[in-house]
Amino acid sequence: MSRRKPVIAANWKMHKNRDEALQFIYSVNMEVPGREYVDAVIFAQAPVLRDLVKRQGDHLDIGAQNMHEKTEGAFTGEISAALLSNIGVSYVLIGHSERREHFNETDASVNRKLHQAFRYELQPLLCVGESLKTRQAGKTQSFVRSQVERALEGLSKEQVAELVIAYEPIWAIGTGETATVEQAEAAIRGIRETLAELYDAAVADNTRILYGGSVKKENIDDLLAEETIDGALVGGASRSPDNFLYMCEAAYKAKSP
Ligand code: PGA
């Protein structure tokens, strides 16, 4: 049994209108296991965040899918950490591979965003993961290690212990092709080793690390059975309340003391 509280995070990406988002919240917010057992988080599009926060109930947390690294200023179309925090959002996704690929996010900007998220007491969920080409070249471990090292530059041990990290191999995202439990376990073990070297064994042991990439009802139990995997960041399958609840229950069963 794990000492680390599991996290089930739904990344809705650019899906669901306001009615659909609220409907989802109403159908799950009384049903998810309590906060003491599982952190259940919904990452939704920015315009519905406030509505979701108001109705999140006692068991859910709401997160943004992105934020800007600066506090305020002439950045048309961007979202500030200050405003997210001000409207009661508690989590923020940082460095999702779709943001890295389509919106030019780099390890350096990911690092600045992490610092900014902590400044505004948002709980960051940092995403890392390799492309198929990198995996085929046998460079997964060194690539992910370097992403982690650069993302965490200048963060204190206390901050990193608060962080949630998701290992999401890009080739497994939205493709239906999940990493095997062994591949996920090996990458996550590598991240813990990096944390141990950068900080210490306690940080490596206490930081929650999730797997993401085509997680669904059919494979979540096997992933959660692995001691080092603390939960999942789920895209497509998280848009159905039934699936989301199943995954939260699975995390409760697999990880509760
Ligand atoms: P997926 O997405 O579950 O649809 O593969 C995961 C993610 O992008 O976080």
Side-chain angles (χ1 to χ4, degrees):
M1 289 295 162
S2 177
R3 312 158 310 288
R4 299 179 296 266
K5 197 193 334 173
V7 181
I8 298 294
N11 176 12
W12 286 351
K13 309 190 181 186
M14 205 168 70
H15 292 282
K16 290 196 190 291
N17 63 28
R18 178 173 180 271
D19 290 345
E20 290 162 347
L22 290 177
Q23 196 52 51
F24 183 108
I25 295 285
Y26 290 136
S27 53
V28 307
N29 67 359
M30 303 294 284
E31 309 286 332
V32 289
R35 274 219 167 100
E36 61 275 42
Y37 304 112
V38 178
D39 282 337
V41 193
I42 307 284
F43 290 94
Q45 295 186 74
V48 296
L49 291 173
R50 179 65 183 148
D51 281 332
L52 299 188
V53 164
K54 280 199 214 150
R55 296 163 179 86
Q56 71 188 65
D58 291 333
H59 298 179
L60 280 177
D61 276 302
I62 305 301
Q65 297 173 4
N66 177 41
M67 48 158 254
H68 195 265
E69 64 194 57
K70 294 273 171 53
T71 299
E72 60 183 3
F75 301 105
T76 302
E78 286 293 332
I79 303 164
S80 72
L83 181 55
L84 291 174
S85 181
N86 177 245
I87 65 171
V89 164
S90 39
Y91 278 77
V92 63
L93 271 187
I94 307 269
H96 190 280
S97 62
E98 287 153 17
R99 302 247 10 126
R100 294 179 192 253
E101 185 183 341
H102 305 303
F103 301 95
N104 305 322
E105 292 200 8
T106 61
D107 288 331
S109 67
V110 164
N111 174 253
R112 292 192 292 270
K113 286 182 182 202
L114 284 174
H115 281 278
Q116 183 72 345
F118 280 117
R119 227 167 263 138
Y120 284 91
E121 293 179 4
L122 293 166
Q123 159 89 62
L125 198 168
L126 164 68
C127 303
V128 295
E130 82 289 358
S131 66
L132 189 56
K133 210 167 137 212
T134 303
R135 173 160 289 270
Q136 285 169 341
K139 296 192 174 135
T140 299
Q141 290 288 353
S142 58
F143 180 83
V144 173
R145 160 184 286 268
S146 136
Q147 277 188 322
V148 171
E149 281 173 359
R150 292 179 196 191
L152 303 189
E153 236 174 84
L155 292 179
S156 70
K157 178 160 132 171
E158 290 70 29
Q159 287 172 320
V160 174
E162 285 289 304
L163 193 65
V164 179
I165 300 177
Y167 165 64
E168 295 206 305
I170 298 169
W171 47 271
I173 295 178
T175 58
E177 191 183 339
T178 319
T180 62
V181 173
E182 292 71 30
Q183 287 169 328
E185 192 273 335
I188 291 176
R189 194 161 20 86
I191 296 173
R192 291 201 194 282
E193 282 164 15
T194 306
L195 295 178
E197 282 166 35
L198 293 175
Y199 297 92
D200 58 31
V203 171
D205 214 34
N206 293 332
T207 304
R208 291 178 296 170
I209 309 183
L210 320 180
Y211 168 76
S214 297
V215 176
K216 41 189 179 271
K217 259 183 170 176
E218 292 72 23
N219 56 28
I220 185 119
D221 293 297
D222 288 346
L223 289 161
L224 292 172
E226 197 55 58
E227 198 275 336
T228 200
I229 303 178
D230 299 320
L233 176 57
V234 191
S238 75
R239 305 208 300 271
S240 131
D242 284 353
N243 283 337
F244 182 72
L245 282 176
Y246 179 93
M247 294 186 196
C248 292
E249 280 293 328
Y252 169 69
K253 286 190 202 131
K255 307 288 186 183
S256 59

